[in-house]
Structures are given as C-alpha cells and as structure tokens.
Amino acid sequence: MEGSRPLHPVPAALEALLWDREEAGPVLDALALIEPDLKGFLDGCGASAAALINLLTFSPGSLEKVRRRPELLRWLVSDDVRASKQRLQNARDPWGVVDDPHFNRLREWKSDELLRIAFRDLGGQADLVETTADLTAVAERCVHVALASVLAHAQRRWGRPQTGFATLAMGKFGGEELNYSSDIDLIFFYGEDGFINPKFSHHEYFARVAERIVEIFSARGLPLFRIDLRLRPEGSVGPLVRSLASMEYYYSGYGETWERLALIKARGLCGDRELLYEFNQRLQPFIFPRLVSSDLLDEVAELKLRIERDLVGKEDLHRNVKLGFGGIREIEFTVQALQLLHGARQPFLQGRNTLKTLLALEQLALMPPEAVRALRDAYVFLRTVEHRLQMVREQQTHTLPTDPTGQRRIARSMGFTSADGFLAELARHTAAVRANFEQLLQGRANLAPPPIALDFFRSREAAERALDALQRGSSTVHVSARNKRLYRKLEPQLLGWLARVADPDTTLTRFVRFVDAYGIRGALFETILANPRLLELLVRLFDASASFSEIVIRRPHLIEEIARGRDLSAPLSGADFRAALKQNDEGVDPAEWVRIYRRAEVTRLLLKDVLGLATLEDLQQEMTDLAEACLEFCARLTGPDSDLTILALGKFGGRELLYGADLDVIFVGSDLLSAEKLIQTMNAKTQEGRVFALDTRLRPEGESGVLVNGLDQYRMYFQNRAQLWEVQALTKARTLWGPVSGALSGFIAGAWAEAGKRPDLQTKVGEMYLRVVEQREKGADFFHLKTGRGGLMAIEFVTQYLQMRAGLPEVNTLQALRKLGDRGWGPEAGLLGDAYRFYRRLEGALRRLQNSSASQLPRSAEEQRQLAIRVGLENEKALVARYTAEKAAVHRLVGEVLGVRG
C-alpha cells in the first residue's frame, strides 16, 4: 500500500487533529476493509475518531491487532473502554485456575488490554499514573492466573507441601509503574526447607513451579510478558527459588547496594500472604537500615557511572531516556538514595512508587519544592517518551531514533509541532535531572585513602596477612565486591585505632576472629562505618581483655545486644539489676539466666571502663550492685525460706568490686543446706561461666570453722577468740539481708568501736603490716601491687587504723579517706587517695586481661609498656617511675602513722 495514492483521503474535519496526515491515508484504506461505511463509522466516533487514527498510524502493532481481529475496532470506541476505572479494578482480580493449557484466552486478553491502554493514553483520556497502574494490573492478572494454575497442577501431581510459596514484584512492576513493553521483574521464594516425600524436596518442588511459570510466559504465539529473574539473589547464577531463611541470609550477608535499592520496590504480588508479610518484616532492616554508611552515595555514583559506560555508551548517552544522561534511572537513584538515608526513621518514605515518594520527600522537607517539581515534571515527561517509543511495536526500547522522521513522530505524539521543540524540552528536563543528581552526590570523590604505615606492629608480615583476610575472607567465606569496598573504607579507621592500643598484633588477630565469627561481614562493616564509636569499642575491648574478647568472639552479637538503644555512660542501680533479673522473658533456666545476664552486664561495665565513660568509683559501685543482685537472685532460688543472714566483707563489703573478684561473705543462722546450695550455685562453672565465686574463709576459725554460725556463736567468737585482724576486717563489714540483720549490724558496730579504743592498736596493726610485706621473697616485693611495701594493703591498713582510732565507720576506702580529710588528715588522705586510685587502675587493667585475680606488676618491659598504655601513660618508664614514687610515699606515710620501720 505504501507509495500508492490513498483511496480514502483524510476527512477535512479530522485533518488538523492528526499527527501525520500522509500516513493517515493508508491507515484509512486499511480501516475501510473492516468498515465499508468508514465515514459513518468515524462520524459516530465523535472526538475519539482522531485519537483512533493517530493510534493506528503511530503504532503499526496496534493496526495489526485490529486487522487480525476487526471486532476490536468498534470495541476501542465503546463505553467499555471509556469505563477505565472499572476495568482497572477488574483487571486486578485474579481469574483463579483456568482450564486452558496454552493460556490462549489470557494471551488474547492481555493483547486487547494493551491496545485499550494505548488508545486511552494517546487520546489523552488517561495520564501517566493511570496508564502505568493499568499496565501493572494487566501484568498482575497474568501472573496470578499462571501461578494459580501451575500450583493447582503441581498439587494434583505431587501433593501439597507443608510450606507456602510466594512471588515478589520488583522494579517498575513492584512500584506499579510498568511500561508498555517492560519485562516484569520477579523473585520466587518459599517458606521453609523440607521434603514433600523422602525423594522430593520443597526446593525441587517449587523450582519446577517457577520453571513452569517462566515457560508459560516465554511460549510462542501471542506474548504475555517477558519475565526477568536477574534481580534474585546471586542474579543469573543463583538458584531459581530460595527459602525465606536463605533469602534473609543472602541479603544480610552479601547484599549489594544495588540490591538494596532494588528491594525498595519489592512488593508482595501473589502466593502465601503470611509468607510475603514475613519477608517484609525480616528484610526491613536490610532494605531500610537504621544506620547507613557514608559511602552509600559513592556507591550510587559509581553504579550510575558504570551503567553509562558499560550499558549505554557515548553514542546513546543523550538519546537513552532511561539509562542515559539525566534519564529516568537518575531520578530513581536520587529518590531511592534519599529513601535509604532516611527511610528507617521516616516510614512515610518507605513507598515503592516514584511519584508518590517524591511527594513524600517534599512534605518531609528532605528536598526543596522546586527540586521536587523539576524531578516530577521530568519523570512524567521521560516516562511518556519511553511509552511512545515502546508503543510503536510493543518492543522494549528506551532510545530515541536518529532519523528525522522517527523523531518527528515522537515529537508529534508528545504534542510538539516539530522535533526541534521536542528535543529542546527533552534537553531541559535531562539537564534538570542531572543537576539534582549531582547536587545529591556533591563532593563525592572516590579518592584512595593515604597509606598508613604498619611499623607499629611487632610482625608486619602477620599484620598484612590478617588485613588481607579481613578483605578477602577465608576460603569458605563468600565476600562480595561491595563488602570489599566497605572494608577498604574501614581499613584506615581500623589501623588508626590499632596504632593507639597497647598490643595491636593481638588486637588485630582478635578482630579478624570476631569478623569471621560474626558471619555477615557486610552488615558488620556497614554498621561500624555508620557508627565509628563501635569500632573504637571493639578495638579497645580486644586490647583490654583476653577473656572478654573470647566471650564476644564466641557470641559476636553480644556487643549489639549490650549497646543497642542504650547509653553506655548511664549507670544502673541495684534496683535496675534486680528488676532485669526478674524478667527472663525467654524463660531460660534461672540458674543459667543469671549467668547470661551477669556476663552481659560485666561486659557492659568493661566497655564503659575501656571507653573512659565511668570513674573508678562508679565502676566499683555498679559491679558491687550487680554482684549483690545476682547473689540475692540465687539465694531466692536455693533457699527462699532460709533463716540465713548474709554479711559482706572485703571489697564486696566496701563496694569496691572489679573484675575477677570473689565475694567475701559470712553466713549467720542455722540453715547449712541453703548455704551450701548457694555456694554451689554461685561457684559452679557452666558454659556461661560462674555467677560470682563466694569466699567464706573470713568466717570464725577460717576454713577449719563451721560454715554457718548462729548469732550467739558469732558474738561469742568475737568476744573471746577473734584476733585483732578479724575485728579490723569488720571495717568493711556490711549486712546484706536476713532475719537478724539489725542485731548483727549492731553487734559488729560495737565490737569494731571497742577495738578502736585498744591502747596497742597502733602497734598491732603495724606489726600485721610488716608480717605481710616481709613474707615476700627477696627482690619480689617491688612487683607486689597489693601486699608489697606501700601497696594497696598498706593504704587499707593505715586508713582502717585511722578510722578505728577516730571512731569513723565507713566501708568504702575512698569515702573513708574523704571523711578523714575532713577530720584533719587532709594531706595524708589526699596522698593515699591518689595512690589508691592509681593502684586500682593498674589492678583493674591487669585483672580484666583474664577476668581473674591479679595483683602483681608484670616483670617484662614489653608487658609493662602495654600496661602503661592501658592506664593512660606514655611508656613503661613512665609507669615504673610513677609506681615507684607512689609506693615509696605510701610506705613512708604508713611508717609515720603506724610507727613502723622496714
């Protein structure tokens, strides 16, 4: 027909309304073969006549449909097509199972619907939003029908599995903004792994279901939609279907930024609704993370650059309205990047539709109104151009034609009188999109960080191997490209902190083990990058304590459990600990629950310590309150009706506990069985460790005496047989609870006050001090932090002597020194207080290494250097100098106060 004179010239009434008068003639010739009274037919169409001719002229594919099925011509201009809203609703309703093995009826219906949608779109009866929603609804119906039929057939053949199956719509399908010739992006998954029979697993069953659906959509004949499954985990090389647990594991461990962007549009399409809900709940933290690393925008910029370079190319950069310069993808990236940055805190931003999300960004003031308007206008314009390109023959294309005729056709379909006007408007929109995209990414530069020297490691080679293991992972671990990029950004920060700690080699080894144990290293790296304080916390912890490092490495998520939603600097009271111990929401065996809770809280206190978030006194108070709450909890387990009264002594009584300390206690009463059970419960070591070890050797007669004494027995012992050191130890006696608490406290106060009046008190206390220090082997006294000359015990002896002489009861050493300072011992109390704090810092740093008792200064220079750094001193020389000076000053003061020499 082309090249010949049209038999039916364009009616004069329509001529001005047609986009291409020359090509309209042949279309009218074709219509005349369908409608002999063509003029009467067109007159009856009224305002729809021009739209009909323009559609069939612009879209040869549409004309071919009408030629093949002439009844479609009158249908297009019928009331049925005009009632689009009702049709849209109907299109969303699945047909259910159809008895049509080739789905011919469905294929025909889909073809008709695309013709209807194109007619309404080109005729101006539907805007972009309605058009894309309608196209999406058609695709939904096709998937619903196919899935229902395939599942019904599978169940008849193999039976019904004991788990669900579901389909996710992705991309524009998920956002309900489908194109005329879009692929439909799908992900198939099922609930739980298992077997439908001993030889047929759920995975095999649902893989066959998915394969059959793909086969239906790709069959020859009238096409349905092209299914694209490349957005599934691992893309084309990944399994066709996965279990929900496998999906969650993949995304949390290996998901790339582009996959996170893609999942923003993930929409439960059909299948098991509970399974779709569960997917959304489980993947929400990945899709909209609470903490987003600062390199997100770098990754978005790199992703767009790679698309332009590898998929579009220079020739089509300004002609591809989807992937090219200032194209649709840039609008989507801009919107989705802002969704990732703010979506966790702003649920209003967690939408899938681009235009709706742009409106949300404006309402939340995350984008200026003028920027939103520019992107919205550009999106509508570019998507309309995309539709025009695909409408011609229902082919997937996003690139403008290069020939003038093709450009003129697109321009006319967009309402422009010339191609030049259209191209100028296109350039204006793409420039606005690119400007906003660059504004979002401003200042982003993929500059390599300056190299950091590794000379602070003892073994540079071992450090290089460990750092390489962090980036590459072990041979059994899959490390994605994105995880490697995250690590490259993390490494300078990690090395910066390692350079500050006492033992960077060991700390790095523990950090590598922690990362390997954590499993999902991408999520960990991203969390650390978004929260740099967490990196400091981990590095300082792994340097500070071997024992607590092992706890955290075995249970890597303990750190998150401790820090999540909590202010580490906020102190907890005894009431807080007791209330938390009572909760036990998961119903763990109480004897194990108290250990789990204690382990977590002691780790929390260690973190406060190494981060410098609490003073020595605050740490001691919290540790003591924790120990007391745990002891009370266990006492209620083992002897809820016991008559025991419990007396705390030593550092427990003085509220001075730290790491690795036993609890010195005395039992007063008659319930021997409950006392033994309590000791067993507290001291028994399980996989979760001990609660707190109880030490009862300060009881009357020590280890050779009975475990439990009645109040009268206890009183008689101190009245008749107790030695002075035992009475002196009562300086730190504190009654915890029990039926005779008041009477016991009263007796202790009287006995202690009476001892303070002894005329030989100074001599006896001085002699005890000398006996203890002289027991040290020759040359070893200097290293004994606790019992050596001028050590911790010296401070406690002289403080307790002064308290007893002044009749000043106070169980806590530092508090006692403050009170003595008010009684005229200011300089002496100040000296002793400073030395006490220094010694306890040293002791705490030594004890937290293994969470056990340690009261000697290390002898090697290297260990002394490490200890110096852990307590804030420059090196081992500074440590030894300070330690030597403190010991000498304390010993001299003890000699003056207690009148001893030696």
Side-chain angles (χ1 to χ4, degrees):
M1 188 178 299
E2 292 185 10
S4 62
R5 185 174 179 275
L7 299 176
H8 293 80
V10 176
L14 298 179
E15 190 169 356
L17 301 175
L18 300 183
W19 298 341
D20 195 319
R21 298 180 185 88
E22 292 184 9
E23 294 194 12
V27 169
L28 291 170
D29 289 345
L31 294 182
L33 298 176
I34 299 171
E35 286 287 346
D37 184 11
L38 183 58
K39 182 178 183 306
F41 170 73
L42 292 176
D43 289 343
C45 291
S48 298
L52 178 64
I53 297 174
N54 282 334
L55 168 67
L56 301 180
T57 302
F58 181 75
S59 173
S62 298
L63 178 60
E64 183 58 33
K65 289 181 181 180
V66 172
R67 279 176 165 167
R68 190 171 61 249
R69 293 179 55 220
E71 67 272 18
L72 293 177
L73 186 60
R74 289 189 174 272
W75 173 71
L76 275 178
V77 294
S78 67
D79 291 340
D80 186 36
V81 170
R82 293 192 184 97
S84 176
K85 295 295 183 183
Q86 183 61 40
R87 290 190 58 80
L88 181 61
Q89 181 61 44
N90 291 341
R92 290 180 182 276
D93 295 332
W95 285 354
V97 181
V98 296
D99 186 17
D100 182 359
H102 301 293
F103 295 87
N104 290 328
R105 180 181 166 215
L106 183 65
R107 297 175 192 281
E108 188 175 276
W109 173 83
K110 179 260 183 179
S111 176
D112 294 351
E113 286 299 297
L114 261 63
L115 180 64
R116 176 188 66 82
I117 295 168
F119 176 67
R120 289 179 52 79
D121 181 6
L122 281 177
Q125 299 175 48
D127 61 10
L128 176 70
V129 172
E130 183 178 329
T131 298
T132 54
D134 216 350
L135 288 165
T136 302
V138 173
E140 281 187 28
R141 188 175 193 175
C142 292
V143 177
H144 271 287
V145 171
L147 177 61
S149 299
V150 171
L151 281 177
H153 175 78
Q155 289 166 11
R156 287 194 300 269
R157 183 174 180 183
W158 299 305
R160 182 187 293 272
Q162 298 301 306
T163 192
F165 181 72
T167 305
L168 290 172
M170 305 289 290
K172 288 185 172 64
F173 194 17
E176 297 183 88
E177 46 196 14
L178 214 55
N179 294 335
Y180 277 98
S181 190
S182 282
D183 293 344
I184 54 173
D185 295 301
L186 298 177
I187 293 179
F188 299 118
F189 68 103
Y190 58 94
E192 297 178 352
D193 282 312
F195 290 85
I196 198 164
N197 62 54
K199 295 183 178 181
F200 198 24
S201 69
H202 288 168
H203 184 272
E204 293 171 308
Y205 180 97
F206 290 119
R208 295 191 187 186
V209 168
E211 288 167 357
R212 177 57 183 148
I213 292 171
V214 173
E215 181 183 316
I216 290 168
F217 275 77
S218 60
R220 292 184 178 182
L222 280 175
L224 285 173
F225 290 86
R226 292 177 302 276
I227 289 182
D228 190 339
L229 300 172
R230 290 175 296 174
L231 291 182
R232 70 186 187 269
E234 296 186 87
S236 301
V237 299
L240 200 59
V241 295
R242 285 179 182 262
S243 68
L244 177 59
S246 176
M247 296 268 284
E248 182 181 20
Y249 178 78
Y250 171 82
Y251 283 122
S252 58
Y254 310 113
E256 298 276 0
T257 292
W258 70 264
E259 290 175 299
R260 182 169 276 160
L261 294 172
L263 281 173
I264 289 176
K265 288 186 176 291
R267 177 169 59 92
L269 182 63
C270 54
D272 189 317
R273 307 311 299 183
E274 291 185 7
L275 181 57
L276 289 168
Y277 174 81
E278 185 69 16
F279 171 87
N280 187 62
Q281 293 299 107
R282 290 200 194 181
L283 270 293
Q284 194 75 355
F286 173 75
I287 302 171
F288 294 106
R290 186 169 57 87
L291 298 173
V292 181
S293 65
S294 58
D295 67 341
L296 167 68
L297 298 180
D298 289 328
E299 293 189 54
V300 171
E302 182 182 338
L303 187 57
K304 183 62 172 67
L305 180 65
R306 199 160 61 242
I307 288 171
E308 291 184 0
R309 183 187 63 227
D310 300 340
L311 300 181
V312 180
K314 291 183 179 180
E315 290 184 2
D316 292 336
L317 187 60
H318 288 272
R319 294 194 304 117
N320 190 310
V321 297
K322 178 181 179 181
L323 304 178
F325 175 93
I328 297 164
R329 186 54 50 84
E330 283 186 23
I331 301 174
E332 293 172 337
F333 276 180
T334 300
V335 170
Q336 290 167 348
L338 290 170
Q339 286 181 280
L340 282 186
L341 289 170
H342 305 286
R345 295 181 299 278
Q346 300 284 359
F348 191 40
L349 276 181
Q350 296 179 11
R352 304 178 182 91
N353 184 276
T354 303
L355 288 175
K356 291 179 181 178
T357 305
L358 276 169
L359 178 61
L361 288 169
E362 180 178 5
Q363 292 173 340
L364 293 170
L366 294 173
M367 286 188 75
E370 60 274 13
V372 171
R373 283 194 297 272
L375 291 182
R376 184 173 58 238
D377 293 347
Y379 185 80
V380 171
F381 183 87
L382 294 171
R383 288 299 310 274
T384 304
V385 173
E386 184 182 44
H387 284 180
R388 298 294 187 267
L389 292 170
Q390 296 181 356
M391 194 183 294
V392 177
R393 294 192 182 276
E394 292 185 12
Q395 293 179 343
Q396 190 179 38
T397 179
H398 312 281
T399 305
L400 290 169
T402 55
D403 63 288
T405 300
Q407 291 182 356
R408 180 172 53 80
R409 285 176 178 169
I410 297 296
R412 288 287 288 156
S413 74
M414 295 287 295
F416 292 87
T417 57
S418 69
D420 291 341
F422 162 70
L423 294 174
E425 184 69 359
L426 174 66
R428 184 180 72 82
H429 282 301
T430 55
V433 172
R434 177 54 65 98
N436 278 284
F437 188 59
E438 291 180 342
Q439 176 69 25
L440 174 71
L441 303 177
Q442 64 178 342
R444 314 309 297 186
N446 295 314
L447 299 176
I452 298 178
L454 303 180
D455 52 4
F456 57 85
F457 288 102
R458 292 192 303 276
S459 172
R460 181 188 179 95
E461 293 75 15
E464 288 175 343
R465 288 195 299 272
L467 293 169
D468 186 64
L470 281 174
Q471 176 168 321
R472 300 180 183 278
S474 66
S475 59
T476 60
V477 174
H478 170 69
V479 180
S480 69
R482 177 172 177 273
N483 289 353
K484 292 177 182 178
R485 289 195 300 271
L486 288 171
Y487 173 71
R488 286 196 294 271
K489 187 155 188 174
L490 174 65
E491 185 180 78
Q493 299 177 35
L494 173 63
L495 291 173
W497 280 112
L498 288 170
R500 306 181 200 184
V501 299
D503 187 357
D505 298 72
T506 303
T507 302
L508 176 57
T509 299
R510 290 170 181 161
F511 186 81
V512 174
R513 291 177 57 209
F514 174 80
V515 171
D516 289 342
Y518 194 92
I520 310 173
R521 61 179 56 207
L524 175 62
F525 291 164
E526 190 167 51
T527 300
I528 292 175
L529 285 167
N531 184 10
R533 193 66 185 273
L534 178 59
L535 178 61
E536 178 191 359
L537 184 152
L538 288 168
V539 171
R540 290 193 181 279
L541 168 65
F542 293 148
D543 177 63
S545 175
S547 61
F548 285 98
S549 294
E550 290 303 314
I551 290 172
V552 170
I553 289 168
R554 289 198 305 271
R555 300 171 181 82
H557 293 278
L558 180 64
I559 289 291
E560 291 182 53
E561 293 170 11
I562 292 169
R564 186 187 300 123
R566 295 173 67 175
D567 179 5
L568 278 177
S569 62
L572 296 182
S573 66
D576 294 327
F577 292 130
R578 286 190 289 273
L581 280 167
K582 287 178 182 177
Q583 286 183 345
N584 191 7
D585 294 332
E586 297 182 8
V588 180
D589 176 76
E592 280 301 285
W593 162 243
V594 67
R595 287 169 166 77
I596 294 169
Y597 181 76
R598 177 212 57 87
R599 179 201 67 204
E601 289 305 312
V602 173
T603 305
R604 179 184 64 83
L605 290 174
L606 182 135
L607 297 179
K608 290 179 66 169
D609 185 5
V610 299
L611 291 176
L613 298 177
T615 65
L616 170 67
E617 290 174 87
D618 290 339
L619 290 169
Q620 291 176 339
Q621 181 68 56
E622 275 200 74
M623 189 73 79
T624 303
D625 285 344
L626 173 65
E628 194 170 328
C630 291
L631 179 61
E632 182 178 336
F633 182 87
C634 291
R636 288 176 177 169
L637 287 181
T638 56
D641 301 319
S642 175
D643 71 345
L644 292 179
T645 295
I646 299 183
L647 183 70
L649 292 162
K651 288 185 172 62
F652 187 27
R655 297 188 177 92
E656 299 166 335
L657 290 179
L658 266 182
Y659 316 105
D662 295 343
L663 309 185
D664 291 308
V665 296
I666 289 177
F667 298 112
V668 178
S670 61
D671 190 351
L672 177 62
L673 181 59
S674 289
E676 291 175 339
K677 285 183 178 179
L678 180 56
I679 293 172
Q680 170 65 24
T681 300
M682 293 288 289
N683 290 18
K685 192 171 184 179
T686 71
Q687 186 177 2
E688 301 296 340
R690 290 188 179 91
V691 185
F692 285 91
L694 296 186
D695 189 339
T696 61
R697 290 176 296 175
L698 291 179
R699 67 186 185 266
E701 310 290 357
E703 290 182 276
S704 61
V706 296
L707 181 62
V708 179
N709 287 279
L711 179 59
D712 290 340
Q713 294 171 290
Y714 191 73
R715 184 184 290 115
M716 289 178 61
Y717 175 80
F718 272 90
Q719 289 173 346
N720 300 310
R721 299 197 306 280
Q723 299 181 47
L724 179 60
W725 71 264
E726 293 177 285
V727 181
Q728 182 186 336
L730 295 180
T731 307
K732 291 185 175 294
R734 182 167 57 91
T735 305
L736 300 183
W737 68 80
V740 298
S741 293
L744 179 61
S745 296
F747 164 72
I748 288 172
W752 180 82
E754 188 65 26
K757 299 174 184 177
R758 288 178 53 158
D760 62 347
L761 181 65
Q762 182 191 45
T763 302
K764 293 296 184 181
V765 173
E767 289 175 352
M768 281 191 291
Y769 169 64
L770 286 179
R771 275 201 303 273
V772 171
V773 299
E774 288 171 358
Q775 289 175 1
R776 307 277 72 79
E777 65 270 23
K778 188 176 181 179
D781 177 81
F782 174 80
F783 297 99
H784 282 270
L785 174 63
K786 181 177 179 180
T787 56
R789 284 173 173 78
L792 270 170
M793 192 194 67
I795 296 173
E796 292 175 343
F797 268 41
V798 73
T799 301
Q800 290 165 11
Y801 164 74
L802 292 173
Q803 284 182 258
M804 294 175 76
R805 269 289 183 248
L808 187 65
E810 171 55 59
V811 296
N812 183 273
T813 301
L814 287 174
Q815 290 291 345
L817 286 170
R818 291 190 183 97
K819 293 178 180 179
L820 287 169
D822 295 336
R823 297 281 186 96
W825 292 90
E828 295 85 354
L831 184 154
L832 293 173
D834 290 344
Y836 182 86
R837 291 184 184 89
F838 178 64
Y839 291 160
R840 292 305 305 271
R841 277 169 53 205
L842 294 177
E843 184 185 53
L846 291 168
R847 289 189 171 206
R848 71 191 182 205
L849 278 174
Q850 299 297 337
N851 193 27
S852 61
S853 179
S855 300
Q856 291 192 46
L857 205 68
R859 304 196 183 198
S860 76
E862 173 58 23
E863 289 180 306
Q864 289 177 4
R865 183 194 67 80
Q866 293 179 11
L867 177 60
I869 293 172
R870 289 178 181 129
V871 297
L873 297 175
E874 185 177 356
N875 52 40
E876 69 275 17
K877 292 181 180 179
L879 171 69
V880 171
R882 170 78 185 274
Y883 180 69
T884 302
E886 296 286 5
K887 289 199 75 175
V890 171
H891 184 62
R892 183 169 57 252
L893 181 60
V894 171
E896 294 172 0
V897 175
L898 296 182
V900 298
R901 294 180 181 179

